[in-house]
Amino acid sequence: MIDIAFKARGKVDKRIKEIKKGAEEAEKATLADFRSRAPGWVAAEVVKTYNIKKSKITPKKGKGNKLAGGSRAAVIGKRIGNAALIYCGRVLSPVGFGMTPKTPKLSYTLKVEVFKGQKKTLGKVKKITKKQRENIGRNYTHQGTRNSPRSPIMLAPVKNKKGEISKYIPFQRVGYERKDVQFLKTLSMPQMVSNPQVAGRISERIYEGISKRLEHNIDRYMGK
């Protein structure tokens, strides 16, 4: 009787160890799923509210978790119970929010759509004469004056490392000096994901996604 009990206890201990190991493997796999899938879940909810491409806010593999505009997304935590997805980054330019036009014209109306379905006018640039254009040039070299220090919001070229124009971004002159220039900004990634409505959907999406992955991994490592 004692021998039988000892053998039974040995089988129970073995099964407990198997369950513990399986649980650890299931949690490890679920954490890996969170690391790889959570950024995509977040991006899917962000683009429902904001007019930005999903590819701009989804980290690419091998790119160090980089997002648009120098933003980053990083997963912290070594257990699924304390894992978190952290976003950081500066305020983004209107260029990535459906800004039109992308390049300056002789005259144009600059528009942007940060929130989906809410296109707004940033400014209007009227066609100017050759003499007016020359006056603007003199003002930039401090050879002349203007009645108003504030210019309309317009597009300025941005050059890459090769010295080539890579894109145009909106700016406005706010003073007489050449340095008196303000570049327009919109929102940062942290601001977008922390928007109460977006954050609520993100929480639900992550809970639903992780719950499914956990069930899958439990079945995989511990058996149904």
Side-chain angles (χ1 to χ4, degrees):
M1 187 68 179
I2 296 176
D3 185 56
I4 294 174
F6 179 79
K7 288 182 178 180
R9 186 167 63 250
K11 290 181 179 180
V12 171
D13 289 343
K14 182 181 178 181
R15 182 54 180 158
I16 289 175
K17 290 180 180 179
E18 290 174 348
I19 291 173
K20 183 179 180 180
K21 183 179 179 181
E24 291 174 349
E25 291 295 328
E27 182 183 26
K28 183 178 178 181
T30 304
L31 181 59
D33 289 335
F34 178 77
R35 291 179 182 276
S36 63
R37 301 185 185 217
W41 294 337
V42 172
E45 297 305 323
V46 169
V47 298
K48 290 179 181 178
T49 296
Y50 295 99
N51 183 40
I52 188 170
K53 292 182 180 179
K54 188 177 178 180
S55 60
K56 294 287 186 180
I57 52 177
T58 304
K60 293 180 175 59
K61 293 182 179 180
K63 298 295 183 178
N65 294 325
K66 290 183 179 180
L67 307 172
S71 301
R72 289 178 179 272
V75 176
I76 62 173
K78 296 183 178 181
R79 302 291 298 272
I80 195 62
N82 61 14
L85 184 58
I86 306 298
Y87 285 86
C88 61
R90 60 179 181 268
V91 182
L92 302 175
S93 164
V95 176
F97 292 91
M99 187 190 74
T100 57
K102 297 293 185 183
T103 57
K105 315 289 182 182
L106 289 177
S107 62
Y108 55 93
T109 298
L110 200 58
K111 295 183 177 182
V112 67
E113 185 180 340
V114 177
F115 290 89
K116 279 193 171 180
Q118 299 181 31
K119 182 170 285 190
K120 294 184 178 181
T121 298
L122 294 178
K124 296 182 179 181
V125 178
K126 296 181 180 180
K127 183 177 181 180
I128 60 176
T129 65
K130 182 178 180 180
K131 185 175 181 179
Q132 288 174 320
R133 191 176 297 111
E134 290 173 349
N135 287 336
I136 292 175
R138 284 198 295 272
N139 181 63
Y140 268 81
T141 55
H142 312 295
Q143 296 176 9
T145 61
R146 292 178 60 91
N147 293 327
S148 173
R150 188 173 293 273
S151 74
I153 295 173
M154 47 193 174
L155 294 174
V158 175
K159 295 183 179 181
N160 56 26
K161 294 181 179 179
K162 296 180 179 179
E164 303 168 336
I165 296 177
S166 58
K167 62 181 177 180
Y168 290 85
I169 57 176
F171 81 103
Q172 184 177 37
R173 189 183 61 253
V174 293
Y176 291 110
E177 299 295 327
R178 186 181 182 88
K179 64 181 180 180
D180 295 335
V181 172
Q182 289 183 350
F183 291 94
L184 273 68
K185 301 294 183 180
T186 55
L187 296 168
S188 66
M189 273 299 303
Q191 286 177 308
M192 286 190 278
V193 298
S194 63
N195 175 318
Q197 292 183 345
V198 178
R201 294 199 307 267
I202 288 173
S203 295
E204 292 178 3
R205 182 70 177 269
I206 289 178
Y207 175 77
E208 179 183 354
I210 288 300
S211 295
K212 289 181 179 179
R213 296 310 303 168
L214 180 59
E215 289 296 329
H216 170 80
N217 290 322
I218 287 174
D219 290 343
R220 178 183 177 186
Y221 291 101
M222 299 177 66
K224 295 185 179 180

